[in-house]
Structures are given as structure tokens and as C-alpha cells.
Amino acid sequence: MYLALAVWGEIHPMRYILEWFQDNGFSIGGLIGAWHANVATTGLVWDLTIAAIALTIWIIAETRVRRNWSALWAIPATFAIGVSCGLPLYLFLRTRAVA
């Protein structure tokens, strides 16, 4: 279930980002500007940023204790794709047996 949620968290939000690029051209600055278009979207950006930082700290702390190095893959997934992918990916990797 966690892996299915990670895939969904990768595909579903990315659809909207790709649609935005299609409508507005490939502009990272423009995309970031759109994220801060009003106070509601700015609040959401900060909410997700804080969640991503908290998840990263949790992943690093648990990886040091559990020695589950493959779980570190969830960090780039979180920042390159989003928390909607990184969190379920980490939970999937965390629930697997550590070799």
C-alpha cells in the first residue's frame, strides 16, 4: 500500500506541474512565483516545506539507528517530487526487512 501511495504521490501532483509548464513554458522561477501567488498558496508552500524538513530529519535519525541505508532514497524523492511521494516511499522502505 505504501509503494502504491508513493507512485500515486509521484504521478498525480506531477500532472499538474507538467500542465503548468505546458501552459506557461518551462520556467522554474515562474513556477516558484506561482507557488507564492497569494497567501493561501504561500501558506501551503511553507506547510509542505516544513513537513519535508521534518521528514528528512526523521529519515536521517532513523537511518543512523536502523542502518537502513536504502531508506535515504526517500530524501531526494521528497525534494525532487514532493512529500506526497517521499513520505509513503520512506514508510515502504522502512517496513522492509533490513539486510
Side-chain angles (χ1 to χ4, degrees):
M1 183 56 70
Y2 291 136
L3 186 57
L5 287 170
V7 171
W8 183 24
E10 174 188 7
I11 293 170
H12 195 101
M14 195 59 64
R15 174 182 162 251
Y16 294 100
I17 291 174
L18 293 175
E19 185 178 325
W20 189 90
F21 281 138
Q22 185 177 18
D23 293 345
N24 299 284
F26 186 80
S27 170
I28 299 297
L31 180 62
I32 292 170
W35 291 344
H36 296 282
N38 57 56
V39 295
T41 58
T42 299
L44 186 59
V45 166
W46 278 110
D47 181 64
L48 293 171
T49 300
I50 293 165
I53 292 167
L55 176 59
T56 300
I57 293 167
W58 180 32
I59 291 168
I60 292 169
E62 280 210 331
T63 297
R64 290 181 65 201
V65 172
R66 300 180 82 229
R67 305 286 188 231
N68 183 8
W69 305 114
S70 66
L72 292 173
W73 283 107
I75 295 173
T78 298
F79 287 97
I81 300 168
V83 176
S84 63
C85 177
L87 176 59
L89 178 62
Y90 175 67
L91 294 172
F92 169 75
L93 295 170
R94 185 182 186 277
T95 56
R96 295 179 345 160
V98 178

